[in-house]
């Protein structure tokens, strides 16, 4: 859906005009609503609708002394370039937390209406992921100890020193980032990953999630389809995590990565001595997942012989290990995924029709990133924070121009490509902001994929996808240069792997950093 600028701006100016006629308390509430509208503001950039996502952290200062709030606020704005919100007491702070997204709270202990300790208890109960730094007097040792036991991240003595405040806030924000990421990873490793953990939960994935939750409520086989990098495995984990098998094993198997002769052994297990090299008994992935879910990624790559045995698992709920004399019962749910058109594979005789119908009881097709670009700003924010949590740094803001550039790109490698690009930009950025220059390689990758920038390279990606050969001569009979050969072979590999830089670099036998360097050089 495309939204235009004019109606939204008119609405914003109208709201600013109306605010002059409201009482102070009404005006404060109205402005909060106004800010929430602006944070979800969409603007028309000529091609698509882009959501502006604020990258700066919001810090809430809770103190009944106006002058103290102003001093702390000015230090934060000057030294840390953050958004600052203010509240006079604990009750007002809790009301603001219900309406706004706050990253850090600086809380005074001695306040009227609701004191600091009582507010801290309620904040930790309702918002455990938000770190709290307490403000205390030199003689208030007992209350400080109580606050630290209640979960405060740090304490500051009044009057607040600027250097001490900077260090405390930076440390608290880093801990907050790491704790959120650790919590998400814990749900991942505990096989309790949920749909709310997906990036795009409130955006372009809504219809998929609606179907996914219905799939999670039953125990039928699910087939996920979509391009490489669209997040099929994460979606499968969410189905598992919200179903009755949550907490039980989730075993992911890439069918395309298993050598053809070892497929049956890997999936269904084998007995000792059943074939050369079988020095011990192996249970196989289906028995490992007993009580849980088996995720069969790239199911279209499964050999026909193994497809017959998989059909037996779905029909009889039992596997027959290689070399075993009798079948073994298994209790698993099967979720499969592919980036191929299985109907076409059935017609070509490369996939069994009966297995297709068994797997395709519930079908969910995941959209490529280019068809849900409203999720890109939220994903960029997530990947920035994920990088910071892994490397112990504070998030950088992304300029509107940089975000616009990212939203214009078509992302042939989908979410995986976006994550790689953001991580690289964060690693190489030398300033405080991520600007379009930090994403120059996005443009370079697009050029090499489309064969832009060199007349000999036009249409190379399309040629690669169609499986056409690369010729050593031009149409006029002259030899191609080494640069032209290199450009064509990189385009061929990129097209084959649908923009996945890691797989492309592996196929070409070079480091991923070398691949990025070559792409920039060839597109320049």
């Amino acid at each position: 859906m495309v939204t235009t600028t004019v109606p939204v701006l008119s609405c914003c100016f109208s709201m600013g005009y109306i605010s002059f006629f409201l009482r102070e308390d009404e005006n404060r509430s109205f402005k909060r609503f106004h800010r929430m509208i602006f944070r979800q503001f969409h603007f028309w950039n000529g091609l698509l609708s882009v959501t502006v996502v604020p990258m700066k952290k919001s810090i809430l200062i809770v103190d009944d002394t106006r002058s103290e709030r102003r001093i702390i606020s000015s230090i934060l704005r000057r030294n840390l370039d953050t958004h600052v919100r203010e509240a006079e007491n604990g009750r007002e702070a809790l009301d603001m937390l219900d309406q706004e997204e706050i990253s850090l709270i600086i809380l005074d202990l001695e306040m009227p209406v609701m004191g600091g300790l009582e507010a801290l208890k309620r904040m930790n109960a309702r918002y455990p992921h938000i770190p709290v730094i307490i403000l205390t007097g030199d003689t208030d040792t007992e209350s400080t100890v109580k606050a630290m036991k209640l979960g405060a991240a740090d304490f500051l003595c009044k009057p607040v020193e600027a250097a001490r405040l900077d260090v405390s806030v930076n440390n608290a924000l880093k801990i907050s980032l790491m704790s959120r990421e650790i919590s998400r990873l814990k749900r991942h490793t505990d096989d309790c990953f949920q749909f709310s953990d997906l990036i795009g939960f409130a955006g372009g994935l809504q219809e998929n999630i609606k179907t996914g939750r219905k799939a999670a409520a039953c125990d039928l086989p699910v087939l996920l389809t979509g391009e490489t990098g669209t997040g099929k495995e994460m979606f499968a984990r969410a189905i598992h995590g919200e179903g009755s098998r949550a907490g039980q094993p989730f075993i992911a198997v890439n069918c395309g990565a298993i050598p053809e002769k070892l497929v049956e052994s890997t999936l269904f297990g084998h007995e000792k001595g059943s074939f050369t090299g079988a020095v011990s008994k192996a249970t196989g992935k289906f028995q490992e997942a007993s009580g849980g879910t088996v995720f069969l990624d790239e199911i279209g790559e499964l050999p026909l012989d193994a497809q017959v045995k998989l059909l037996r698992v779905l029909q009889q709920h039992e596997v027959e290990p290689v070399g075993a004399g009798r079948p073994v019962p298994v209790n698993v749910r099967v979720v499969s995924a592919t980036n191929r058109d299985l109907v076409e594979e059935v017609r070509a005789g490369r996939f069994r029709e009966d297995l297709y119908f068994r797997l395709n009881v519930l079908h969910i097709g995941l959209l490529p990133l280019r068809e849900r670009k409203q999720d890109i700003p939220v994903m960029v924010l997530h990947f920035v924070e994920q990088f910071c949590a892994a490397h112990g740094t504070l998030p950088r803001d992304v300029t509107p121009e940089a975000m616009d550039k990212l939203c214009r790109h078509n992302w042939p490698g989908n979410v995986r490509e976006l994550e790689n690009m953001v991580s690289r930009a964060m690693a190489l950025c030398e300033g405080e902001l991520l600007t379009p220059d930090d994403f120059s390689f996005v443009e370079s990758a697009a050029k090499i994929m489309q064969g832009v920038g060199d007349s000999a390279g036009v249409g190379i990606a399309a040629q690669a996808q169609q499986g056409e050969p690369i010729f050593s001569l031009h149409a006029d009979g002259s030899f191609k240069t080494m640069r032209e050969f290199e450009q064509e072979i990189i385009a061929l590999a990129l097209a084959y792997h649908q923009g996945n830089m890691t797989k492309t670099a592996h196929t070409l036998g070079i480091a991923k950093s070398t691949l990025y360097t070559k792409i920039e050089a060839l597109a320049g």
Side-chain angles (χ1 to χ4, degrees):
M1 182 180 71
V2 173
T3 55
T4 58
T5 306
V6 176
V8 180
L9 288 178
S10 300
C11 176
C12 292
F13 284 125
S14 299
M15 287 193 287
Y17 179 74
I18 291 169
S19 67
F20 283 109
F21 297 94
L22 298 175
R23 297 195 315 269
E24 184 178 354
D25 57 337
E26 292 175 331
N27 194 14
R28 193 161 50 242
S29 300
F30 190 84
K31 285 179 179 178
R32 284 199 293 267
F33 172 73
H34 190 184
R35 275 189 295 274
M36 285 190 290
I37 292 294
F38 238 100
R39 285 177 180 178
Q40 296 301 319
F41 173 54
H42 286 67
F43 65 89
W44 171 245
N45 65 11
L47 288 178
L48 46 91
S49 174
V50 180
T51 304
V52 178
V53 179
M55 293 291 177
K56 290 182 183 178
K57 297 298 179 185
S58 293
I59 299 177
L60 174 60
I61 304 171
V62 190
D63 196 318
D64 59 323
T65 307
R66 180 183 177 86
S67 60
E68 193 72 35
R69 296 198 308 269
R70 292 303 184 200
I71 291 171
I72 296 173
S73 176
S74 64
I75 294 172
L76 293 174
R77 287 194 176 99
R78 183 177 66 250
N79 295 358
L80 299 177
D81 192 27
T82 58
H83 295 298
V84 179
R85 306 289 292 116
E86 298 180 15
E88 295 182 0
N89 54 65
R91 185 171 297 168
E92 184 180 341
L94 289 169
D95 289 341
M96 292 178 69
L97 288 170
D98 289 336
Q99 300 177 35
E100 300 187 27
E101 187 175 340
I102 301 295
S103 302
L104 173 67
I105 302 167
I106 299 177
L107 176 68
D108 187 25
L109 289 181
E110 299 296 328
M111 294 181 295
V113 183
M114 181 185 290
L117 289 176
E118 179 62 25
L120 180 59
K121 288 178 186 176
R122 299 192 184 190
M123 287 171 181
N124 279 342
R126 288 157 63 176
Y127 310 99
H129 62 284
I130 303 179
V132 180
I133 298 173
I134 59 170
L135 298 174
T136 180
D138 291 334
T139 59
D140 200 8
T141 307
E142 186 178 346
S143 296
T144 303
V145 172
K146 286 182 180 178
M148 296 302 289
K149 287 182 177 179
L150 287 172
D154 199 357
F155 69 92
L156 297 170
C157 293
K158 294 182 179 181
V160 175
E161 297 179 4
R164 177 76 174 87
L165 177 64
D166 290 352
V167 172
S168 184
V169 168
N170 275 321
N171 288 341
L173 287 173
K174 288 177 184 177
I175 291 170
S176 175
L177 279 175
M178 286 188 285
S179 64
R180 284 204 303 272
E181 188 62 21
I182 288 169
S183 175
R184 185 172 175 274
L185 290 173
K186 188 175 186 302
R187 289 193 296 275
H188 186 284
T189 55
D190 290 346
D191 296 317
C192 294
F193 194 83
Q194 298 185 341
F195 285 110
S196 56
D197 294 314
L198 293 173
I199 311 304
F201 166 75
L205 286 177
Q206 282 184 333
E207 286 301 315
N208 290 139
I209 288 172
K210 189 176 179 180
T211 307
R213 282 190 162 141
K214 291 177 181 178
C218 58
D219 214 30
L220 298 172
V222 179
L223 177 63
L224 303 174
T225 58
E227 296 177 7
T228 299
T230 50
K232 295 187 287 294
E233 181 175 340
M234 303 305 291
F235 204 90
R237 285 186 181 277
I239 291 174
H240 171 77
E242 291 203 6
S244 59
R245 297 177 183 267
Q248 298 300 317
F250 178 92
I251 305 296
V253 185
N254 188 335
C255 299
I258 308 172
E260 187 172 345
K261 293 182 179 180
L262 297 178
V263 170
E264 291 185 27
S265 171
T266 302
L267 294 180
F268 312 121
H270 63 258
E271 295 294 323
K272 181 179 179 180
S274 57
F275 56 86
T276 303
V279 296
S280 61
K281 180 179 178 179
T283 56
K285 300 298 183 182
F286 276 85
Q287 292 186 64
E288 284 180 30
S290 181
T293 300
V294 171
F295 174 61
L296 301 175
D297 197 10
E298 304 300 344
I299 188 69
E301 308 288 340
L302 204 62
L304 287 169
D305 292 343
Q307 291 179 28
V308 177
K309 283 204 169 186
L310 178 57
L311 185 62
R312 180 182 180 88
V313 175
L314 296 171
Q315 291 175 334
Q316 307 296 331
H317 303 288
E318 60 185 25
V319 297
E320 187 174 333
V322 177
R326 53 192 175 85
V328 179
V330 290
N331 173 26
V332 296
R333 180 182 193 170
V334 176
V335 178
S336 51
T338 183
N339 60 356
R340 292 190 175 189
D341 183 349
L342 288 188
V343 174
E344 187 58 39
E345 294 294 299
V346 169
R347 287 177 185 154
R350 293 186 292 267
F351 201 84
R352 292 181 62 95
E353 184 178 27
D354 48 2
L355 178 59
Y356 170 72
F357 288 121
R358 281 285 180 178
L359 293 173
N360 194 31
V361 178
L362 292 172
H363 173 251
I364 300 174
L366 299 184
L367 294 174
L369 189 55
R370 63 181 172 275
E371 293 183 22
R372 53 185 185 100
K373 289 190 174 182
Q374 67 268 36
D375 292 338
I376 289 178
V378 182
M379 287 182 176
V380 171
L381 174 59
H382 169 73
F383 293 138
V384 166
E385 292 191 343
Q386 182 176 273
F387 180 91
C388 294
H391 297 85
T393 61
L394 286 174
R396 289 185 174 91
D397 201 355
V398 181
T399 65
E401 294 80 12
M403 190 67 77
D404 178 41
K405 183 175 186 174
L406 295 176
C407 289
R408 286 176 180 273
H409 187 53
N410 277 331
W411 302 107
N414 293 294
V415 180
R416 188 183 293 119
E417 183 187 0
L418 175 62
E419 180 180 5
N420 290 342
M421 295 295 185
V422 173
S423 297
R424 186 186 183 204
M426 287 292 292
L428 299 180
C429 179
E430 296 179 352
E432 296 298 320
L433 298 173
L434 290 173
T435 66
D437 290 341
D438 294 310
F439 295 98
S440 59
F441 48 88
V442 173
E443 217 166 55
S444 301
K447 283 183 180 180
I448 196 71
M449 279 292 290
Q450 296 168 6
V452 176
D454 194 297
S455 59
V458 176
I460 290 297
Q463 172 187 324
Q465 289 172 334
Q466 293 168 7
E468 296 179 9
I470 293 177
F471 296 102
S472 58
L473 300 176
H474 290 296
D476 61 1
S478 61
F479 280 97
K480 292 181 179 178
T481 65
M482 288 299 295
R483 176 189 174 89
E484 290 169 338
F485 270 120
E486 197 168 56
Q487 182 177 12
E488 290 187 26
I489 198 66
I490 288 175
L492 176 72
L494 278 169
Y496 181 79
H497 292 296
Q498 297 183 328
N500 187 314
M501 291 292 190
T502 302
K503 290 184 178 179
T504 300
H506 179 74
T507 298
L508 297 176
I510 59 177
K512 191 160 66 171
S513 58
T514 304
L515 176 61
Y516 279 118
T517 303
K518 285 183 177 294
I519 287 175
E520 290 179 10
L522 291 170

